[in-house]
Amino acid sequence: MKKIFAVALVAMMTMTVNAQVYVGGGVGFQTTSQDGNSETFFKLVPEIGYNLDENWAVGIAVGYGEHKTTLKSGNLKTTAKVKAFEIAPYARYTFAKFDKVNLFVDGTVDYLHTDNAGDKNNTFSIGLKPGVAVNLNDKLSFVAHAGFLGYQNSKDDYEGAKAANTFGFDLDGSNLSFGVYYNF
């Protein structure tokens, strides 16, 4: 048993020395206030991945976000909060490299759960997300994704709820994300 453990430990250390692991993700914060009304948005999406070779990588992003709205009408103040949790494993193929810029596409399967004061929704997506990576140096990269091509199934979480199925391509500002990666 000790020999098996020792061999496994040496194998893991060897992989770590040669590993092409990257960590990163994105973060977002925004707040708006006007006439006693306010809106606050927060999102944290850490990500970890592994470069299999110079063109292929696999990874996973796990995210949490909140959107809080406070409305004031006279002396009455109401607050609503939406919480969201997302997990998105992916396989990345880099199809073009230009000096410091790489173009890639992520094949991804996403799960998103939202909770709006007890009204829950589950959304599953499978599709492609194109992106660009700007390698600032050997260790640091700026990454952006724009758009989605694929299938999405969204269903509220209550008895008798009907699912909404969507297939298509979406390229607009709501599908634009930015992040920073550190390559080990």
Side-chain angles (χ1 to χ4, degrees):
M1 184 67 161
K2 289 181 184 179
K3 288 181 183 180
I4 293 172
F5 180 73
V7 169
L9 184 61
V10 169
M12 286 180 15
M13 287 178 11
T14 303
M15 285 176 54
T16 304
V17 169
N18 294 323
Q20 297 297 315
V21 174
Y22 57 91
V23 295
V27 64
F29 178 78
Q30 177 180 339
T31 185
T32 305
S33 178
Q34 179 181 14
D35 295 332
N37 300 323
S38 66
E39 192 170 18
T40 304
F41 171 77
F42 167 76
K43 178 170 74 170
L44 179 63
V45 187
E47 186 173 329
I48 186 167
Y50 182 82
N51 292 310
L52 300 171
D53 61 28
E54 91 177 29
N55 293 328
W56 284 96
V58 292
I60 188 166
V62 179
Y64 176 79
E66 288 187 8
H67 185 167
K68 181 179 173 184
T69 304
T70 302
L71 301 174
K72 184 179 177 187
S73 177
N75 291 332
L76 184 61
K77 204 178 228 190
T78 58
T79 300
K81 185 187 285 188
V82 178
K83 297 178 182 179
F85 170 77
E86 181 177 16
I87 185 165
Y90 62 86
R92 175 172 295 164
Y93 178 68
T94 301
F95 59 88
K97 296 182 179 191
F98 309 98
D99 193 28
K100 300 234 181 242
V101 177
N102 298 337
L103 302 177
F104 64 85
V105 64
D106 286 351
T108 185
V109 177
D110 291 349
Y111 168 71
L112 174 67
H113 175 80
T114 57
D115 184 346
N116 183 359
D119 293 333
K120 298 176 182 177
N121 180 278
N122 296 300
T123 302
F124 297 92
S125 304
I126 185 167
L128 302 173
K129 292 182 180 180
V132 60
V134 178
N135 304 312
L136 303 174
N137 58 40
D138 289 342
K139 298 288 184 188
L140 202 59
S141 300
F142 176 77
V143 178
H145 289 89
F148 178 76
L149 169 65
Y151 168 78
Q152 185 177 68
N153 174 285
S154 181
K155 184 176 179 184
D156 290 334
D157 193 5
Y158 64 86
E159 187 71 31
K162 304 264 188 213
N165 297 298
T166 306
F167 178 80
F169 176 69
D170 188 9
L171 182 61
D172 65 18
S174 67
N175 259 339
L176 187 61
S177 65
F178 299 98
V180 176
Y181 292 175
Y182 180 81
N183 301 293
F184 288 95

